Amino acid sequence: MQTRRYRSIFISDVHLGLRDCQADYLLDFLRQTTSERLYLVGDIVDLENMLLKPFWHASHTAVLMELFAIAARGTRVTFIPGNHDAPLRRFAGQRFGGIDIALDAVHVGADGRRYKVSHGDEFDGEHTAPAWLVRVGDVMQRFVGALNRLGNGLRRRLGLDYRTISLGIKLRIGTARRFIEDFETRVAERARERGYDGHICGHIHRGRIRDEAGTLYLNDGDWVEHCTALVEHHDGAMEVLHWTERELSVANSPAARIATEPLPAAA
């Protein structure tokens, strides 16, 4: 087996405990990559949805066990709870199974760039939507998630690769597209105001690297719809990877390499 080695890896919005979680793809990614730092940027376990509709699969347990194993092998793992696993924020400052729990973090890249790292839901409060619109959004998200699950279930039976269905739908809805773009701008502007070179987050399920007037907005995406992670190469270059039956480079920071050749796994 060949292992891809990175300086840092950032994943979020896994939503273990949700039927739409793509745990098998994430497990494959975790087993085929290594890094010095691993950031779990929120919504790893979907406590919120489990209270409404309890669900758990053996693959979800396997993901948790793999995360603990990664920490035990020496990778420094930091877990930053999001809005779906918010009850775990009360344990900030503690360590569990070798994993540090924090409300946020500051990551210094190999190139010296300083990034604020947080889940991203803290930016929602600045632009609160009406209650009725939030409810409509929740219904639409469940519908799109089910469509993505059923559509890809059919593709697997036909021997076809996984395809993201939901993002195309969201970006064709003007209100959703504007919300995503406004969110990205707010996050980058706040990072610039606070003296950071960029901000790394999740929350909105769209893996992306965007240069906003010299400040980088980086989103590691999710493992419900898009199966993406943000990785830092050893020269500080950032890249968003899509990982299912095939690996694709989705986005790169300035001067990032387009692809990285796999290195032999350590004996």
Side-chain angles (χ1 to χ4, degrees), residues 100-156:
D100 295 312
I101 304 175
L103 297 179
D104 53 35
V106 176
H107 176 75
V108 180
D111 55 6
R113 289 180 177 178
R114 295 175 68 252
Y115 300 96
K116 181 66 176 294
V117 186
S118 71
H119 180 61
D121 62 300
E122 67 270 27
F123 293 94
D124 288 348
E126 301 176 5
H127 294 73
T128 304
W132 67 268
L133 185 57
V134 173
R135 287 195 294 271
V136 170
D138 288 342
V139 172
M140 285 298 297
Q141 177 62 44
R142 288 194 292 271
F143 170 75
V144 170
L147 183 64
N148 192 69
R149 182 177 69 252
L150 294 173
N152 277 291
L154 177 60
R155 290 183 63 86
R156 278 194 295 273

Side-chain angles (χ1 to χ4, degrees), residues 174-195:
T175 303
R177 185 178 66 253
R178 286 191 297 273
F179 172 83
I180 292 172
E181 292 173 351
D182 289 347
F183 177 89
E184 294 174 350
T185 300
R186 292 198 304 275
V187 173
E189 288 178 346
R190 180 65 62 83
R192 183 167 55 251
E193 291 169 359
R194 296 182 174 179

Side-chain angles (χ1 to χ4, degrees), residues 30-31 33 35 38 65-77:
L30 293 173
R31 288 174 173 172
T33 59
S35 61
L38 171 61
M65 293 301 99
E66 186 64 25
L67 293 174
F68 289 126
I70 289 171
R73 289 194 292 268
T75 295
R76 184 177 175 186
V77 183

